[in-house]
Amino acid sequence: QVQLVESGGGLVQAGGSLRLSCAASGFRMGHYVIGWSRQAPGKEREEVACVIGDDGAITYADSVKGRFTIFRDSAKNTLYLQMNDLKPEDTAVYHCAAFISTCFSGYGTWGQGTQVTVSS
């Protein structure tokens, strides 16, 4: 069964850090384009970061550049999002997702999401 399971969300004060994890089962992450997106109440989904295939080319949303780092542990088949210097506007439900060729385009496998809340 192809599945993604996120963890690591929680409540943190502004300026703090969190690390989100996304464990994959039923497929190898290195063969796919994988990334993190987030959605806050009343707002559109935002594509936060993406890792493109085995060469690891990475893209970030401008809103998180310099603060967030996406990386993958191939041995654990797990994707991570290290979030530093968190701000209240980072509050959202964070999802990881895997796609065939283009991040957040077309059919993808999505996790259930993990809530991140940043207090001011």
Side-chain angles (χ1 to χ4, degrees), residues 42-64:
K43 295 186 178 180
E44 292 188 356
R45 181 176 59 82
E46 179 183 19
E47 300 169 10
V48 174
C50 190
V51 177
I52 302 171
D54 285 336
D55 66 4
I58 292 172
T59 60
Y60 292 101
D62 288 342
S63 59
V64 306

Side-chain angles (χ1 to χ4, degrees), residues 48-107:
V48 174
C50 190
V51 177
I52 302 171
D54 285 336
D55 66 4
I58 292 172
T59 60
Y60 292 101
D62 288 342
S63 59
V64 306
K65 281 181 181 176
R67 299 187 299 121
F68 290 13
T69 302
I70 186 172
F71 62 100
R72 185 176 63 204
D73 186 328
S74 296
K76 294 181 178 180
N77 207 27
T78 299
L79 179 72
Y80 299 94
L81 185 69
Q82 178 66 43
M83 306 185 295
N84 298 328
D85 189 23
L86 282 161
K87 304 175 180 181
E89 52 264 41
D90 295 318
T91 295
V93 176
Y94 285 71
H95 289 88
C96 65
F99 300 86
I100 296 297
S101 60
T102 304
C103 220
F104 301 108
S105 178
Y107 178 80

